[in-house]
Amino acid sequence: MSTLLDVFGLGFSYGTREVLRDVKLKLFAGEVVALIGPNGSGKSTLIRNLIGVLRGIGKIEWEQKPLDQWRRRELARHVAYLSQNPLWEPGQLVIDVLRLGRAPYWRLFGIESPRDAEVVLGVAERLNIVDLLDRPMDQISGGQRQMIFVGRALVQEPRAILLDEPSTFLDLRHQVELMSLLRQLAKERNVGVLMASHDLNLAATSADGLVLLDRGTVVADGKAEEVLDPELLARVYGIEMERVLREGKPPIVVPRL
Amino acid sequence: MLATVLASVALWAVVAAACMMVSSVSVGWPATREIFQLRREVVLLSSLVGAALAAAGVTYQAILRNPLADPYLLGISSGAALFAYLWRLPAFAAVAGALALSGQAASQQAFAFLGAIVAVACVLVLSSRNGRLEPVTLLLVGVIVNALNGSIFLLVYSLVGTLPSSGGALTLLVGGIQTSLTIEQKLVATIIIAVGWIALLAISGQLNAAALQDAEAEALGVRIQRLRWLALIIASLVTASAVAISGPIGFIGLICPHLARLLVGVDQRKLLPVATALGAALLASADAASRRLAGQGLAQTLLPVGVLTSLLGGPFFLLLLFQSRRRIDLSEGRSS
């Protein structure tokens, strides 16, 4: 497995408020890593630092090249990002949202190559959304919309996808579908997936590794068995937790009520 | 994209040919060479101005993420008009001379651009809070800047009385197609608008990302802040060029992008050429209509075309406003 992302000693402050401190993180091709932690622990800020929208101190390397040496367009061909609440224009068609994923490949005047159209169609077929292509974004369900945005990220043909709480607005079925899709894509396309998540159990069951953030610091990094430690979680979240072990599967945790 | 541009040109050409046939007294192809040349001038001029305003409107709507943005409503047109008018004052002419701006037309254009930039800067500074632009505040500030520009204009007009080249001074207040322009004025405006339009078309693909969150746009490889500034400056330049020769003609930049969206959707790469063609066609038609109205005796004098576009655009604006209010109500979970 090749290293896609290597973060070392990353720190970031909003003014005088320190949000990230000495963060260390790695992401390998083909693996799914979930970034967990309470509200305000710095998950979104970390992801925004990784794509260079926010600039902190420390080292961020994508494919062994420092982030500040990447040109924006070039980085967009290697790393895709899905925000917590992606926007679309009223009346915008599904196919137009997908096509926008090819923007890093467009020439001047936004001229597309035949390959751009091929990639869009290929992704639509892979995600079973071909019949949605001509529908306006306002007229499809929230679950379908999230699928379209994942599609836009795939259309970028990235080596890594960063997702900021992608399942927040989804019901249980769509959450599970999205997670299994991300797992499949990681294996099929050898893509590294890093997602911030609030749902510890969904993260534990669908990710290869977990990274637990607490007030801007990585306090645990590893398999679900190691990270989902009731004592550690109690300290981070401030509530008593209980671990439920499952035979041959990652453990899950529930609050002790 | 080439197909869209060609189809847009064809659309405009059909309407422009129809406008060539409209005179104040009859309908038909111009009988003499002189009439042909006269009409060709007003049709081409109104098309140029309409195209510029519509292209600027599409761009403002994209970068400000505001479907109600328009060079006129934002106060940019009136700012440009005020400065284009002030340029005629001897004191300012001296300033222009001192700045060694070569050529009369070029210096008037520079003044208009300065006015547009001052107006847009005022509007943006006054309506932004914590770096965010509140859509309704933006329009309110635009209205105030418009009113202020109009008042200053009238104040200067009454103080100075007749200016050295007073021909059609009030056109710069209401907006209309002037026939007394010098070749130099027309040429400079045409060149600036054409170059600006091509630049806008070159960045039209990237402008699609302006509708997204900044982080999303950046992740698609678009340097969004830089793009916004670039587009804002080009659109203001194009607006100023049109206003310098025609005055602030309203609502073209509001109506045409919306009509174009109905025809080709929201992709800026198609939207810009189609809206531009619609702007050219609409203003040429409005100008032909105002000629016809005067000829029929329905209007006492030749109506400035700005009057007609405002008559058309005012209700259209209200319609859009109510529509967007409904959308906001719905998105906040209130029924309407």
Side-chain angles (χ1 to χ4, degrees):
Chain A
M1 282 203 296
S2 61
T3 314
L4 286 178
L5 169 69
D6 194 356
V7 180
F8 192 81
L10 176 66
F12 181 82
S13 306
Y14 285 113
T16 54
R17 192 165 61 90
E18 193 175 39
V19 185
L20 297 174
R21 190 169 65 243
D22 198 21
V23 171
K24 196 177 157 202
L25 183 73
K26 268 180 188 279
L27 179 68
F28 295 98
E31 78 168 347
V32 178
V33 171
L35 204 54
I36 54 175
N39 285 338
S41 58
K43 301 187 293 293
S44 298
T45 307
L46 173 55
I47 288 185
R48 283 159 171 258
N49 268 279
L50 298 181
I51 52 167
V53 174
L54 297 176
R55 300 266 170 166
I57 52 162
K59 189 185 83 173
I60 299 174
E61 280 184 358
W62 283 104
E63 297 173 41
Q64 283 85 50
K65 188 163 124 184
L67 180 61
D68 52 17
Q69 285 180 21
W70 285 88
R71 295 189 54 217
R72 261 265 153 257
R73 261 166 77 86
E74 197 191 348
L75 187 67
R77 297 176 184 189
H78 286 77
V79 183
Y81 161 74
L82 188 53
S83 85
Q84 204 167 4
N85 194 10
L87 296 180
W88 71 93
E89 278 196 82
Q92 191 168 24
L93 299 181
V94 167
I95 187 155
D96 285 332
V97 173
L98 289 178
R99 285 164 77 182
L100 202 48
R102 295 303 287 176
Y105 298 86
W106 289 346
R107 284 168 280 175
L108 198 63
F109 292 93
I111 292 169
E112 292 176 31
S113 69
R115 173 153 167 72
D116 292 330
E118 275 169 32
V119 172
V120 169
L121 195 62
V123 167
E125 281 167 357
R126 171 64 188 83
L127 301 187
N128 293 322
I129 48 173
V130 175
D131 53 336
L132 294 181
L133 287 178
D134 293 325
R135 300 259 302 270
M137 287 294 278
D138 334 57
Q139 290 175 21
I140 60 176
S141 74
Q144 288 172 324
R145 266 203 292 272
Q146 194 64 321
M147 207 59 90
I148 306 302
F149 288 118
V150 172
R152 187 180 74 194
L154 286 179
V155 164
Q156 286 175 252
E157 297 189 294
R159 305 285 317 278
I161 304 180
L162 309 180
L163 305 99
D164 195 353
E165 300 191 11
S167 57
T168 310
F169 301 108
L170 300 182
D171 62 26
L172 195 57
R173 196 192 104 198
H174 284 104
Q175 285 183 12
V176 172
E177 279 179 6
L178 178 65
M179 290 307 146
S180 73
L181 174 69
L182 290 174
R183 279 187 70 82
Q184 287 167 24
L185 291 171
K187 306 300 168 228
E188 252 166 52
R189 305 190 173 207
N190 205 27
V191 170
V193 175
L194 177 70
M195 56 169 184
S197 176
H198 261 309
D199 191 325
L200 301 182
N201 294 326
L202 198 63
T205 47
S206 50
D208 301 306
L210 300 182
V211 174
L212 177 60
L213 273 180
D214 181 26
R215 282 165 293 178
T217 313
V218 175
V219 289
D221 182 353
K223 296 263 171 216
E225 289 79 3
E226 304 153 34
V227 177
L228 295 189
D229 170 45
E231 276 180 36
L232 178 64
L233 292 176
R235 222 170 39 238
V236 171
Y237 283 88
I239 49 168
E240 293 293 304
M241 298 288 243
E242 197 171 332
R243 176 153 62 176
V244 181
L245 294 171
R246 303 179 306 160
E247 178 108 19
K249 288 178 181 170
I252 55 173
V253 285
V254 286
R256 188 175 287 158
L257 297 171
Chain B
M1 172 177 278
L2 193 62
T4 316
V5 173
L6 290 177
S8 306
V9 171
L11 170 87
W12 163 78
V14 170
V15 176
C19 291
M20 284 292 289
M21 298 175 68
V22 178
S23 84
S24 51
V25 286
S26 63
V27 173
W29 196 251
T32 67
R33 197 174 162 74
E34 287 73 30
I35 299 175
F36 174 82
Q37 282 172 346
L38 262 173
R39 267 192 228 162
R40 186 183 61 186
E41 186 186 344
V42 287
V43 168
L44 286 181
L45 261 181
S46 53
S47 297
L48 178 73
V49 170
L53 295 176
V58 170
T59 308
Y60 287 131
Q61 288 180 13
I63 55 178
L64 299 173
R65 292 192 192 126
N66 189 337
L68 299 175
D70 162 88
Y72 182 71
L73 289 170
L74 290 172
I76 300 164
S77 294
S78 64
L82 176 64
F83 273 62
Y85 173 69
L86 292 179
W87 167 80
R88 297 176 180 205
L89 296 175
F92 285 97
V95 173
L99 290 172
L101 288 164
S102 61
Q104 287 253 310
S107 72
Q108 187 184 23
Q109 289 283 345
F111 256 69
F113 179 54
L114 190 66
I117 290 295
V118 169
V120 81
C122 287
V123 171
L124 292 185
V125 167
L126 291 174
S127 56
S128 70
R129 201 165 26 171
N130 303 329
R132 293 186 61 83
L133 288 170
E134 162 63 33
V136 179
T137 317
L138 187 74
L139 290 173
L140 285 176
V141 175
V143 168
I144 303 297
V145 169
N146 250 338
L148 212 59
N149 285 334
S151 308
I152 297 173
F153 189 106
L154 285 174
L155 184 69
V156 175
Y157 187 69
S158 71
L159 288 177
V160 177
T162 320
L163 289 166
S165 55
S166 61
L170 280 180
T171 313
L172 284 175
L173 187 64
V174 186
I177 302 306
Q178 301 182 61
T179 45
S180 57
L181 298 168
T182 62
I183 300 230
E184 195 197 0
Q185 278 178 309
K186 286 183 272 193
L187 195 66
V188 170
T190 308
I191 291 170
I192 293 177
I193 291 169
V195 171
W197 190 82
I198 290 169
L200 288 177
L201 192 67
I203 58 172
S204 61
Q206 296 202 327
L207 273 177
N208 281 318
L212 311 177
Q213 288 172 12
D214 288 3
E216 290 180 275
E218 294 274 343
L220 286 170
V222 176
R223 290 212 170 277
I224 192 68
Q225 290 302 342
R226 198 173 68 178
L227 182 75
R228 281 216 177 88
W229 279 111
L230 185 68
L232 187 73
I233 290 170
I234 301 173
S236 302
L237 186 61
V238 167
T239 302
S241 272
V243 169
I245 58 170
S246 73
I249 294 172
F251 298 99
I252 295 287
L254 177 75
I255 300 174
C256 299
H258 284 275
L259 292 180
R261 245 175 240 126
L262 289 177
L263 290 174
V264 292
V266 297
D267 190 333
Q268 291 287 328
R269 294 170 295 176
K270 290 182 186 165
L271 204 53
L272 180 69
V274 173
T276 305
L278 288 174
L282 185 64
L283 197 59
S285 309
D287 187 63
S290 83
R291 249 179 294 150
R292 193 83 188 122
L293 282 176
Q296 297 292 306
L298 292 170
Q300 291 298 318
T301 61
L302 190 63
L303 267 178
V305 72
V307 174
L308 281 185
T309 60
S310 292
L311 278 175
L312 201 65
F316 187 82
F317 173 76
L318 289 176
L319 185 75
L320 287 175
L321 190 66
F322 284 118
Q323 262 186 353
S324 64
R325 256 180 41 185
R326 218 179 95 220
R327 219 177 12 242
I328 292 165
D329 283 352
L330 287 174
S331 69
E332 287 174 357
R334 278 183 272 144
S335 60
S336 59

